[in-house]
Amino acid sequence: MASRYQFSEEEIKEIERVRRGNKDKRAEARLKALELRAKGASSKDVAEATGFCSAYVSQLVAKYRRNGLEAISGNHDGENHRNMSVEEEAAILAPFKARAEKGELVEISEIARAYQSAVDHPVSNGQIYFVLHRHGWRKVMPRSRHPQKASEEEIAASKK
């Protein structure tokens, strides 16, 4: 069966050049799969050689056709997926930190409302906890009772 995608000699040489200069291990595997496919190997053969699924090899070729070599060779995992910078987060947390230092109770729902109004979309409490962790906050809850409090019998006996 003939290959659906035909690669030109210039494209193959460009893939080889980028692969030689690559230092990322995961991008190397993707580039190797693309290079083998460009040289005429079937998706099934490429999948056996690289350990990828044959459907993923086809997806790599389609991604290369749409977005070029940068879509395959780049490492896109290290991006910042936050809604705002660390400084902006600190500015939102500042009034709550002042209240907490005075000894007042600060609830996550209050911080979540302030954060959501700043980013203009709903945010889960989990993300708020990540923000608090990033800024060195920790969850401290008041005890329900004092650990050295006398038992109910001792209190009743002392009142008699």
Side-chain angles (χ1 to χ4, degrees):
M1 183 171 165
S3 175
R4 231 170 101 182
Y5 300 108
Q6 298 297 323
F7 290 84
S8 68
E9 287 298 321
E10 296 83 32
E11 288 176 323
I12 295 172
K13 288 182 181 179
E14 180 68 14
I15 294 169
E16 290 172 348
R17 184 190 63 75
V18 170
R19 185 171 172 218
R20 277 193 304 268
N22 180 47
K23 295 186 193 273
D24 183 18
K25 192 166 59 171
R26 291 181 294 180
E28 169 65 24
R30 292 189 301 264
L31 288 167
K32 180 180 178 184
L34 186 64
E35 181 180 357
L36 290 173
R37 187 73 174 104
K39 289 182 177 178
S42 69
S43 293
K44 192 173 187 179
D45 295 337
V46 174
E48 289 174 5
T50 59
F52 291 139
C53 179
S54 61
Y56 182 67
V57 174
S58 299
Q59 289 175 5
L60 282 176
V61 173
K63 187 185 273 190
Y64 168 72
R65 290 290 181 192
R66 278 193 313 270
N67 303 324
L69 209 48
E70 179 58 34
I72 305 297
S73 64
N75 182 9
H76 305 290
D77 294 336
E79 295 176 1
N80 181 355
H81 296 290
R82 297 183 194 134
N83 292 314
M84 57 183 69
S85 68
V86 176
E87 293 80 19
E88 292 170 331
E89 290 173 351
I92 289 175
L93 293 177
F96 298 106
K97 185 173 185 174
R99 283 180 45 203
E101 288 173 349
K102 288 181 192 175
E104 295 181 27
L105 291 179
V106 179
E107 293 183 5
I108 189 75
S109 59
E110 300 170 11
I111 297 173
R113 279 194 297 273
Y115 193 88
Q116 289 172 3
S117 66
V119 297
D120 292 330
H121 61 81
V123 176
S124 70
N125 283 350
Q127 186 170 354
I128 302 300
Y129 280 113
F130 280 124
V131 169
L132 292 174
H133 179 74
R134 192 168 29 250
H135 290 275
W137 286 53
R138 58 193 180 91
K139 187 175 179 180
V140 179
M141 294 179 60
R143 291 184 281 218
S144 59
R145 66 178 205 80
H146 196 278
Q148 295 178 347
K149 181 181 178 183
S151 67
E152 295 297 325
E153 296 90 27
E154 291 174 346
I155 294 172
S158 67
K159 290 183 180 179
K160 292 182 183 176

